[in-house]
Amino acid sequence: MSDTRTGAQIMCEALIREGVEVLFGYPGGAIMPFYHALPEYPQLRHVLVRHEQAAGHMAEGYARASGKVGVCVATSGPGATNLVTAIADAMMDSVPIVAITGQVAAQFIGKDAFQETDVTGITQPITKHNYLVTDVADLAYVFKEAFHIARTGRPGPVLIDVAKNAQQARTVPQWPDRVNLPGYKPTYEGNRRQIREAIRLIGAAQKPLILAGRGVLEAGAMAELRELAERTGIPVITTLHGIGCFPENHPLALGMPGMHGWVHNNRAIQECDLLINIGSRFDDRVTGKTSTFAPHAKIIHIDIDPSEIGKNIRVDVPIVGDAQNVLRAMLEELPPRECRAWVEHIYRIREQHMPRQQYTRPDTDMFMPHDFFTVFSRIINERGPYRVCTDVGQHQMWAAQLIEWRHPYTHITSGGLGTMGFALPAAIGVQIACPDETVWAVAGDGGFQMNIQELATIRQERLPVKIAIINNGYLGMVRQWQELFHERRYSATPLWNPDFVKVAEAYGIPGICVTHQSQVEDAINAAYATDGPILLEFQVEREVNVYPMVAPGASIHEMITESPMEVV
């Protein structure tokens, strides 16, 4: 009997064997045996959330900041379904998390038992893999395999649904040394013949351009990317998720392309004769109208996921592999070259258009969102180290555009699914992963209220998360689309908001309300001087738009740069 464990104990020990130190969760009936065993394993820090969706985003934030697998836990039924949004978010953004859910006992499955839900069926299209475990004997291997799948190849979410009887039953666990997955063998090394063809194209191109995405960060290929750019003089554009993989204070850094990318970046894509995509999936927010995207370019696509190559955009040289391995192999044979005339051409486009893309202050005393982001960028870079979690909407785009991102893994956002309510719980996960860094949650007034309850988690866990709310009294990005494309009919976008400072104070968190641009610097400095969490509310002008903008369905060279609409 002494060698036997309950299923719940095996689950805990399996987590420890996989190096898990923290898990984010919410207990309930079907997962209760696991929670009963949990205190026997003090190595596992459990963070009690206030909503299961937030647990998933915390696991995402923890994974994105630490490079480890994030873990979230929920019970069956509504607990499990509340995780679904975060699991889908992790799938879209290739974030390695393992979601553990309790399930009703095996004999009740399929009988509409209390809080029974087919969560493996629900999550099948939004996970790399999922499991329903009804036999305690399977638990040790399933956990080993789940973590292996989550962290290898293209990372992503894996769900383990464990029936209550499997948690309660006892067995002697058989701990596997390795997994056996004949049909799952990610390709890490690029094909040599294709790499040499890529080198040939780079040598022949007159207007080459690098498009760098999250795959560079996942592979840890920042040094190789920089060497590639500096050896060849090829300028670098970074996608929303690629932000930080190439320092934006580097002369060859151009910033973000696409729907809210700068004019010179989108023009460069449309004019280039070679586009080297490293770890980006050609998202529609980058490409716009795909039939007109990069019309003159040969395209090299480096990606660890072969299903991404050719999915959205035709590719001339496909290279499946880990970005770091592929770039290292390329650099072994790549001769130096220059692209001075091409780069200077892009610089001239930037000089011509940049002033018209930024907000031009009229002769008024209006408090513009740009006033916050400009000061915020300067201060966080002066004070570092930092991490910034943004929510979804206008503030997300301003943050991507106006903050100078100099370091990898500092920018964390929901890019693929575009999940409002992401920033605050993600920042909690990041703060736990990075206890010695200043972690900011930057959110709009709409998104912040979607997981506002996690202020209680911040308080209970004594986390020094700094919160900045950009409050314009609207669902800002939706309102912008209504203004530009729906005859200015603001249907269901004006927001009545609570007094955010008083809300924070109710949770035992101090707050400051900023109503004038002259107060921004003092407020941010006050946040740094506060030993603990703090909430800053910035009440900015209500109807300010994010420019440039590519209209839905338009080509990326058809950009609106200011109001009234000017298309360049």
Side-chain angles (χ1 to χ4, degrees):
M1 274 301 276
S2 60
D3 292 334
T4 65
R5 303 280 194 278
T6 66
Q9 290 171 321
I10 293 170
M11 292 163 69
C12 292
E13 292 184 25
L15 292 173
I16 293 169
R17 285 169 176 264
E18 293 301 325
V20 175
E21 297 172 339
V22 60
L23 46 156
F24 307 90
Y26 201 97
I31 196 69
M32 201 171 293
F34 174 77
Y35 274 89
H36 179 75
L38 200 54
E40 300 171 29
Y41 301 91
Q43 310 97 307
L44 296 173
R45 175 183 178 183
H46 181 267
V47 175
L48 176 63
V49 305
R50 297 302 185 271
H51 192 286
E52 292 89 348
Q53 179 191 348
H57 294 321
M58 289 178 203
E60 283 190 273
Y62 179 86
R64 295 186 201 216
S66 69
K68 302 176 182 176
V69 177
V71 178
C72 52
V73 185
T75 190
S76 62
T81 56
N82 283 344
L83 282 179
V84 168
T85 296
I87 292 171
D89 193 274
M91 187 68 177
M92 289 286 281
D93 289 352
S94 306
V95 182
I97 67 170
V98 168
I100 301 169
T101 51
Q103 183 55 276
V104 299
Q107 65 268 30
F108 297 120
I109 293 176
K111 298 182 179 180
D112 291 338
F114 177 68
Q115 291 194 334
E116 180 197 355
T117 298
D118 178 12
V119 70
T120 52
I122 291 170
T123 59
Q124 187 173 17
I126 56 169
T127 52
K128 278 188 78 175
H129 195 57
N130 64 22
Y131 304 85
L132 170 60
V133 183
T134 58
D135 187 338
V136 64
D138 296 334
L139 279 169
Y141 183 80
V142 164
F143 270 69
K144 180 78 174 178
E145 191 173 275
F147 276 82
H148 173 76
I149 292 173
R151 64 165 67 101
T152 53
R154 178 179 179 172
V158 177
L159 179 135
I160 310 173
D161 193 31
V162 187
K164 192 169 184 177
N165 61 289
Q167 299 174 52
Q168 294 169 314
R170 301 187 73 93
T171 190
V172 177
Q174 303 298 313
W175 300 111
D177 294 327
R178 60 178 65 88
V179 299
N180 180 26
L181 289 166
Y184 177 71
K185 294 188 183 301
T187 300
Y188 291 97
E189 304 294 337
N191 179 280
R192 278 283 176 180
R193 185 176 62 82
Q194 298 289 49
I195 289 172
R196 290 196 178 100
E197 176 62 10
I199 292 172
R200 188 189 69 78
L201 290 181
I202 291 172
Q206 299 301 308
K207 300 177 179 178
L209 190 65
I210 295 172
L211 176 66
R214 180 173 165 77
V216 175
L217 293 166
E218 281 296 328
M222 291 76 72
E224 289 77 10
L225 172 62
R226 183 166 181 155
E227 184 173 349
L228 171 65
E230 292 179 345
R231 188 184 297 185
T232 59
I234 301 176
V236 179
I237 291 174
T238 47
T239 68
L240 180 67
H241 271 314
I243 284 176
C245 73
F246 194 77
E248 292 191 351
N249 55 348
H250 191 287
L252 291 172
L254 298 179
M256 189 174 72
M259 177 171 279
H260 292 293
W262 299 126
V263 169
H264 61 276
N265 287 340
N266 288 353
R267 284 281 178 82
I269 290 174
Q270 298 302 76
E271 293 184 22
C272 73
D273 60 2
L274 177 67
L275 185 62
I276 309 165
N277 179 349
I278 308 171
S280 164
R281 64 173 179 246
F282 284 124
D283 181 88
D284 63 282
R285 293 297 169 102
V286 170
T287 64
K289 186 179 180 181
T290 54
S291 62
T292 60
F293 180 77
H296 311 296
K298 295 280 188 182
I299 294 180
I300 300 167
H301 191 177
I302 302 167
D303 203 297
I304 199 165
D305 184 350
S307 70
E308 289 297 339
I309 293 179
K311 186 174 77 177
N312 297 324
I313 296 293
R314 62 172 176 80
V315 173
D316 297 284
V317 181
I319 304 177
V320 177
D322 173 87
Q324 186 179 61
N325 292 342
V326 172
L327 292 183
R328 282 179 176 175
M330 191 177 289
L331 290 167
E332 288 175 5
E333 302 179 28
L334 185 69
R337 59 160 296 173
E338 290 185 347
C339 303
R340 188 169 300 169
W342 167 235
V343 172
E344 288 176 353
H345 171 69
I346 298 172
Y347 287 171
R348 283 194 292 275
I349 299 174
R350 182 169 63 185
E351 291 168 4
Q352 178 185 355
H353 288 281
M354 188 61 83
R356 299 161 70 186
Q357 299 171 91
Q358 296 286 353
Y359 170 75
T360 303
R361 178 179 293 283
D363 294 330
T364 69
D365 203 24
M366 295 193 301
F367 180 16
M368 306 300 293
H370 306 65
D371 296 325
F372 164 75
F373 285 104
T374 302
V375 176
F376 184 64
S377 175
R378 173 172 56 79
I379 293 179
I380 62 174
N381 277 302
E382 287 173 353
R383 289 179 175 265
Y386 65 86
R387 311 274 179 150
V388 178
C389 300
T390 63
D391 222 273
V392 172
Q394 287 183 310
H395 74 279
Q396 181 189 33
M397 295 297 105
W398 282 316
Q401 292 177 337
L402 302 176
I403 295 174
E404 186 173 86
W405 302 97
R406 302 176 184 174
H407 309 288
Y409 311 115
T410 52
H411 172 259
I412 295 168
T413 195
S414 170
L417 196 65
T419 306
M420 293 178 66
F422 173 85
L424 186 64
I428 292 173
V430 173
Q431 186 72 79
I432 289 173
C434 308
D436 298 326
E437 299 186 20
T438 301
V439 177
W440 285 90
V442 179
D445 46 329
F448 180 70
Q449 293 180 81
M450 285 196 170
N451 269 313
I452 195 171
Q453 75 284 343
E454 299 309 320
L455 291 172
T457 305
I458 288 176
R459 190 71 177 84
Q460 185 164 338
E461 293 292 324
R462 302 177 184 276
L463 298 171
V465 175
K466 314 301 182 187
I467 303 162
I469 302 173
I470 313 304
N471 179 4
N472 60 9
Y474 276 111
L475 298 175
M477 189 60 86
V478 184
R479 185 211 58 76
Q480 176 171 332
W481 282 46
Q482 290 173 331
E483 176 188 330
L484 297 179
F485 312 120
H486 296 275
E487 301 170 342
R488 209 184 180 93
R489 181 174 293 177
Y490 294 166
S491 174
T493 46
L495 288 176
W496 176 90
N497 289 318
D499 185 326
F500 288 115
V501 170
K502 287 184 177 178
V503 169
E505 289 172 351
Y507 283 98
I509 296 172
I512 299 173
C513 182
V514 177
T515 58
H516 191 274
Q517 56 93 12
S518 63
Q519 302 166 329
V520 171
E521 183 159 354
D522 287 345
I524 297 172
N525 286 331
Y528 275 96
T530 300
D531 184 20
I534 187 170
L535 181 148
L536 308 180
E537 176 191 358
F538 297 90
Q539 295 185 352
V540 298
E541 281 299 312
R542 301 193 69 194
E543 297 186 28
V544 182
N545 292 340
V546 181
Y547 292 120
M549 181 176 189
V550 176
S555 302
I556 60 169
H557 60 271
E558 300 170 328
M559 287 163 281
I560 306 166
T561 58
E562 58 187 337
S563 290
M565 281 198 208
E566 179 188 82
V567 180
V568 299

